[in-house]
Amino acid sequence: MSGKNLSPDLLKILACPKDKAPVEQTADGNLKCSKCGKIYKVLDGIPVMLIDEEEGSDDEDSGPSGAPDDKKPPKFKPHPLLSKESRKKPRIVAKGDMPSSAPFVNIVEQNEAHKIRIVKISVLVLLVMLGAFTLYLLYAKAKKEKALQRRVDSIAMKVSECRKTIDNGEGYESAKAAFAAICHLETLRTLDWRRESEWKDREDFFKKTIADEFGIKSGHPFVLPSGPIDMVCIPQGVFQMGSTIKDRRSDEDELPQRSIIINYEFWLSRTEVTNMQFRFAYPKHIIEDWGGERLDGLLQPACMMDWHMAVSCCRFINEIETKAGRVPEGYEYRLPTEAEWEYAARAGTNTVFFWGDSFGDEGAKFANSFDLRTAQIHKWKTEKGMATKDAFIASAPAGSFKPNAFGLFDTAGNVWEWCWDWYNPRAYKELDVISPVQTQPVQADLEMRGTFDRLYSIEGTSRVIRGGSWGNLPSDCRSANRDSAVPETKNTGIGFRIALAPKIEKLTAKTDAER
């Protein structure tokens, strides 16, 4: 049972538990107190206190009798340096293994145990965080679903109110209420797709209501079943077309200002054609976001269509309505002429804008144009008289601003609107004053925009666009402002509105006869 040699570092920290004197290792591997001479046995590298015969005889010699007792087997007791666990449960160590109760090994084991505790605590913390995050997601989802349900219930209530209006009304009022209900139901179909079949069934009822209440009467609005589209009656009349020299923002192609006669009544859509209405002809027409701003909302004006697509949409509707016998003789659904557009946009006014001669914050009540807030976001140039903000960065849902005197929305701003005419910079000097229309293409200098907004000019033919857009300065939204674009142009700021007006060939023939 010879003990193993202990390291010098360990011998330095060991001491006799009785007199605290240092100990030294003997040749047989045991420990001996340098002061009292007591022997401490070393078993497998573990120092233990030995109560040997010498100690017992010393004790007995100190007694009164001094007679030695019978020899007893030596008793061992753990060294005070040993841990309680080592005292209670000594371990059996295989030959050649380092005993786990050795001080340095003990430190390593404690370190490993500490690492395990850290891992366990970290895992526990992660589990708690994961559980908390899961609860947060469930709460956020429930909150979102609750908010969505409130919105669905609110829109469904509006549909019910439209139904009451239909039950209590007739004619245009009922058709208009049915049109509003369809817009609400289209929104519900996107919000609550799980009940899409229910919303579609209800939508079919309102479409039938519009068809039943349809009727075109002189001087009255109506709701076009194809779309559906709310149409406003524009009476015949006379107006001042173009700009005056006093308007410093006027361009040469807006001069001279002259009196134009519109000698027929026509109908024009109350708003620019929306995405919902345009998809009646182009079901797969999708518009990507611009600068993080959405342009594909159901009630936002349709854009990213060229002149040909706008014309084909009008023809598609015209064919359906003609087959149904709902088109007046000599009329057709088409794009408005430039003269028809400005006459309807001015609505009896002769001011720069249909609400007055200045824009500013007052103009933000009537038009969605480029404002100071958008200028700060996109770092674009500004001009005097701009609105501070109009609540929209890009295009607004159709009908979000105040209408003009005819009840038309967004004739200034939101999106440019395609017109039927070819662009002629000398039109006001060359065309007749009675229902003029430019039917022949004219070569003219066109300003084009290339990559990195690089501007360049070409000579070619183009179609008229009017009204300005959400990305234009207020000066571009003037009632007299003219602009043009190549017919194949697709732009996030160009849309259109549909007109029910005399056929172009009949219009030009009538103009020639009146000359």
Side-chain angles (χ1 to χ4, degrees), residues 87-249:
R87 295 180 191 179
K88 294 178 183 177
K89 208 174 189 182
R91 292 180 58 187
I92 299 176
V93 182
K95 186 176 180 180
D97 290 345
M98 191 70 165
S100 62
S101 56
F104 292 116
V105 176
N106 216 18
I107 292 173
V108 173
E109 290 181 347
Q110 290 177 1
N111 187 38
E112 293 298 325
H114 183 62
K115 289 181 180 179
I116 294 174
R117 284 195 297 270
I118 291 176
V119 171
K120 289 181 178 180
I121 292 172
S122 300
V123 171
L124 181 61
V125 170
L126 286 174
L127 290 174
V128 171
M129 292 177 64
L130 181 61
F133 183 67
T134 303
L135 289 175
Y136 169 76
L137 289 179
L138 292 174
Y139 170 76
K141 182 180 179 181
K143 186 177 180 181
K144 185 177 180 180
E145 289 181 352
K146 190 175 181 180
L148 178 63
Q149 189 59 46
R150 283 199 299 267
R151 187 179 177 190
V152 169
D153 293 340
S154 175
I155 297 175
M157 184 65 68
K158 293 179 181 179
V159 174
S160 299
E161 292 174 357
C162 292
R163 178 62 185 268
K164 291 179 181 178
T165 303
I166 294 172
D167 294 339
N168 297 328
E170 59 181 2
Y172 173 71
E173 292 302 322
S174 294
K176 187 177 180 181
F179 170 62
I182 290 174
C183 293
H184 294 320
L185 288 169
E186 284 291 330
T187 303
L188 287 174
R189 288 177 65 180
T190 59
L191 293 176
D192 192 5
W193 54 269
R194 288 169 294 187
R195 300 168 60 187
E196 183 177 4
S197 59
E198 176 187 345
W199 305 130
K200 190 177 184 307
D201 292 340
R202 297 180 68 177
E203 191 174 309
D204 292 340
F205 165 79
F206 293 111
K207 287 182 178 179
K208 185 177 182 303
T209 300
I210 292 175
D212 293 341
E213 298 293 343
F214 177 81
I216 300 177
K217 299 178 181 178
S218 177
H220 292 81
F222 67 91
V223 176
L224 176 64
S226 299
I229 301 174
D230 189 4
M231 305 292 290
V232 177
C233 182
I234 309 298
Q236 59 181 343
V238 180
F239 76 105
Q240 296 297 311
M241 187 174 184
S243 186
T244 62
I245 301 177
K246 295 180 181 179
D247 186 0
R248 296 179 180 178
R249 293 167 290 188

Side-chain angles (χ1 to χ4, degrees), residues 315-331:
R315 288 176 179 171
F316 178 73
I317 291 175
N318 189 66
E319 290 175 2
I320 294 175
E321 295 300 308
T322 300
K323 290 180 180 179
R326 296 192 291 247
V327 179
E329 185 178 356
Y331 277 65

